[in-house]
Amino acid sequence: MAVRGNNLDTVRRHNLSTVIGLVHRDGPLSRSELTALTGLNRSTVAALVTELTELGLAVELSPDATRKVGRPSPLVTANRNAVALAVNPEIDAITVAVVGLDMSVRSLVRREVEAAPSPSEAVRMTASLVAELRDELPTGAAVLGLGAAVPGLVHSADGVVRLAPHLGWQDVPIAEMLREATGLPAWAGNDASLGAVAERLFGAGNGVTDLIYLNGGASGIGGGMIFGGELLGGIGGFAGEFGHTRVAGAAVPGAALEDEVNRARLLEALGLGVADADQLEAALLSATDADAVEEIDRQVDMLSTALRNAINILNPALVVLGGFLGSLHAARTEQMTRLVGLQTLGPAFEDVAITRAALGDEILVIGAAELVFQNVLSDPAARRGSGIQ
């Protein structure tokens, strides 16, 4: 005779995920606010908060003393000592950060490299930096896992980098390699797609259900798309490669967008050998040399045409530009808006806003950390007895 299973544990796990997800995304919330947002009763919310605290994912704070009406309700916040490690391998540097569940970037280290690192070199450097950063964590901090934001086509199901042309990687099981090297649960995704998720949840796209994110980095231009509030990844997770679309008017016939709108070409035109993001932006904003101004304007024109195409095809509410594309937008905001408007169908242009990423240089490590948090917070109860520290 078959025995009907009891689904009460499934419901409890779902409710745990809902509550910790709310305080992770929205910041500190009172128990009464959680009760209202979840539709659960007060005693259930209290029990869930207690369990999340025991799991090391939430912390209760003293009630807001400024409240004058009613009994103060304790504030529930994500535990900043529950952290994710995040890595962004690029052709010029490996960046590793510690990000708290409260979305605070607690520390960040960027190690420059002379040439694009091989997979084994990238993993070795990452493991070394992870060890250094873990040693600096306070006693009792819990490391939930490691997320990698890779500039290339990353298979979403298994974290295999199918192709990262600028890094020279092909069919690299980067998530598995990072797990073996660090002893941590590890996940990997496309850098721009993770950036899109980060901006949607915590940046300029907060509350926007339909947006496009374009990231400009040393490896080129990548993109991520959020529609209906969900990441549009395609069947393999490879969607959003705007940088590999062809552009008209290129110096070399058949050139791709990232060949023409290019960080290295900007640095050369500005007379900069090596520059960080702030130095590049300052140079773009202050450029007066005729050749530099011409190159900036040319790249803005090319980028505007690409944005026109994306807006006409996808009809987003928001286009977010990150990396050096955000700096180009800052340097030529009115010009870019005008050029996109001239080329975009009127109703679609009326619906869209173009802005730069709000999360700045931290966007990709925040996105990589979110890859960890999404996996852990989907079933917080599974952390019990995990032993990960």
Side-chain angles (χ1 to χ4, degrees), residues 175-217:
E176 180 183 344
M177 292 171 69
L178 288 169
R179 279 193 292 270
E180 293 178 353
T182 65
L184 294 170
W187 297 269
N190 170 262
D191 58 351
S193 292
L194 295 176
V197 170
E199 281 292 323
R200 159 81 170 90
L201 294 176
F202 309 109
N206 184 252
V208 178
T209 58
D210 301 273
L211 67 85
I212 299 169
Y213 171 70
L214 266 68
N215 183 71

Side-chain angles (χ1 to χ4, degrees), residues 24-339:
H24 167 59
R25 293 188 300 271
D26 298 342
L29 295 168
S30 67
R31 284 193 188 181
S32 58
E33 287 173 320
L34 287 169
T35 299
L37 288 168
T38 61
L40 301 170
N41 62 48
R42 288 186 296 175
S43 60
T44 299
V45 168
L48 293 169
V49 170
T50 297
E51 185 169 355
L52 289 167
T53 301
E54 292 172 351
L55 289 168
L57 298 175
V59 175
E60 282 204 275
L61 306 175
S62 299
D64 185 354
T66 64
R67 289 190 55 177
K68 303 298 183 184
V69 179
R71 187 169 65 180
S73 178
L75 288 175
V76 182
T77 184
N79 187 353
R80 73 185 304 268
N81 284 328
V83 304
L85 278 298
V87 58
N88 172 222
E90 263 286 10
I91 63 172
D92 60 348
I94 303 287
T95 301
V96 178
V98 177
V99 183
L101 188 56
D102 63 348
M103 299 319 296
S104 59
V105 178
R106 301 186 50 155
S107 56
L108 184 147
V109 179
R110 184 177 187 273
R111 291 283 168 83
E112 294 184 358
V113 293
E114 294 183 357
S118 68
S120 60
E121 289 170 339
V123 168
R124 177 182 55 77
M125 290 182 65
T126 298
S128 176
L129 291 171
V130 163
E132 290 179 21
L133 292 174
R134 291 182 74 174
D135 286 343
E136 297 172 1
L137 289 172
T139 302
V143 180
L144 304 181
L146 172 64
V150 182
L153 303 181
V154 184
H155 194 250
S156 54
D158 54 16
V160 172
V161 180
R162 294 300 309 279
L163 180 65
H166 298 285
L167 287 171
W169 297 3
Q170 186 169 358
D171 294 327
V172 176
I174 194 66
E176 180 183 344
M177 292 171 69
L178 288 169
R179 279 193 292 270
E180 293 178 353
T182 65
L184 294 170
W187 297 269
N190 170 262
D191 58 351
S193 292
L194 295 176
V197 170
E199 281 292 323
R200 159 81 170 90
L201 294 176
F202 309 109
N206 184 252
V208 178
T209 58
D210 301 273
L211 67 85
I212 299 169
Y213 171 70
L214 266 68
N215 183 71
S219 288
I221 295 175
M225 299 172 287
I226 306 285
F227 281 88
E230 299 293 333
L231 180 66
L232 182 62
I235 191 169
F238 307 146
E241 290 296 327
F242 293 99
H244 291 277
T245 57
R246 291 188 176 186
V247 292
V252 178
L257 176 65
E258 64 181 30
D259 297 320
E260 297 298 315
V261 182
N262 184 280
R263 186 177 184 272
R265 291 177 67 157
L266 282 176
L267 290 173
E268 181 180 359
L270 292 164
L272 299 174
V274 177
D276 62 24
D278 291 338
Q279 291 168 333
L280 174 56
E281 180 159 328
L284 287 170
L285 291 170
S286 62
T288 57
D289 176 77
D291 290 340
V293 170
E294 181 180 358
E295 177 62 17
I296 294 168
D297 290 341
R298 189 193 66 80
Q299 293 205 21
V300 167
D301 183 61
M302 291 278 185
L303 178 59
S304 298
T305 300
L307 296 182
R308 178 274 310 270
N309 293 337
I311 293 167
N312 282 337
I313 294 170
L314 296 167
N315 187 211
L318 182 67
V319 174
V320 182
L321 301 174
F324 79 87
L325 301 184
S327 297
L328 278 176
H329 181 265
R332 296 290 190 274
T333 304
E334 293 183 6
Q335 179 180 334
M336 189 179 296
T337 303
R338 178 178 59 81
L339 289 172

